[in-house]
Amino acid sequence: MSETRINEIIVAAIDFGTTFSGYAYSYRKEYLRDPLQIYSNRWDGQILPQAPTVLLFNSEKTESYFGFEAEEKYDGLIKRKEHKDWRYFRFKMDLHREKKLTRKMTIKDAQGRNMPAVEVFAAAIRHLKNHFMEQAKLRVKIQENEVRWVITVPAIWSDDAKEFMVVAAEMVCRHTSFKMQPYNSSIRGFFMVI
C-alpha cells in the first residue's frame, strides 16, 4: 500500500452519522510521530464529541443552526409557538432511502415542506467545517487551505448517494475537489478527500 503524503498542517474528518455528526482532527507533525494521536471536538456544554444531525433554517434561509443549537432553538420556538415559519430537518438517512438521487431532489422539513436536499446537506457540512475552523484558530494560526478535509459516508449508501455528498461538499469548498476512497474494510465505509 502506498503512503499518503500530507502537506497540510491539519487533517480534519467530518463524520455524518444517522443520529449524530461531528469531526475529528490530527496535526501533521503529531501524526508523523503517532498516527493514532487524534483529537475530537467537544460541543459547548456537552460531553459528546458529536452533535445531533439536525438543521434549522429561518424562512428566508438566511439563518441556520446545527446540532444542539438547532434543537435548543427549535424547542424554544415551539414553546413560544413561533416555529411555523422555521425549517427543521433530521435528514441524513433520506439519502440512503432514495433509489435515484439527483441535484433536484428535495427533502421534507418537520412540517412537511420541501427544500432542496443538496442545500440542506451543504449547510450541515458548512456548519461542521466552520465550527472546526473557529476552534482550530483558538489553538493555532491556520488558514482554510492548510487543512485537508475528509468526509466519511456509510458504505451502505448507494453510489448516487455518495456522489450527492460530493456535490454538497463542493458547494461548501468551491476551490477543491473530492474523490471517494474506501477506508478500513472492517468498517465498510468510504471517505471523500477534499
Side-chain angles (χ1 to χ4, degrees), residues 56-74:
L56 177 66
F57 293 92
N58 67 354
S59 61
E60 297 84 25
K61 297 188 280 185
T62 56
E63 284 180 59
S64 63
Y65 303 87
F66 178 80
F68 294 109
E69 187 179 27
E71 285 185 334
E72 291 169 18
K73 175 94 173 160
Y74 194 62

Side-chain angles (χ1 to χ4, degrees), residues 33-96:
R33 282 193 307 263
D34 179 5
L36 298 179
Q37 184 64 52
I38 299 168
Y39 302 94
S40 64
N41 177 56
R42 293 285 185 251
W43 297 90
D44 291 338
Q46 305 294 327
I47 60 170
L48 297 172
Q50 296 180 312
T53 307
V54 298
L55 203 60
L56 177 66
F57 293 92
N58 67 354
S59 61
E60 297 84 25
K61 297 188 280 185
T62 56
E63 284 180 59
S64 63
Y65 303 87
F66 178 80
F68 294 109
E69 187 179 27
E71 285 185 334
E72 291 169 18
K73 175 94 173 160
Y74 194 62
D75 185 51
L77 291 166
I78 289 171
K79 287 177 181 171
R80 294 187 309 276
K81 299 186 185 327
E82 298 173 354
H83 65 287
K84 298 290 183 196
D85 291 332
W86 288 77
R87 318 288 305 271
Y88 183 75
F89 294 91
R90 285 192 182 275
F91 54 87
K92 185 197 173 212
M93 287 311 286
D94 288 341
L95 283 188
H96 179 58

Side-chain angles (χ1 to χ4, degrees), residues 110-128:
Q111 297 185 42
R113 296 171 296 196
N114 286 323
M115 186 169 163
V118 70
E119 288 181 26
V120 176
F121 279 80
I125 293 168
R126 185 176 296 107
H127 274 278
L128 289 163

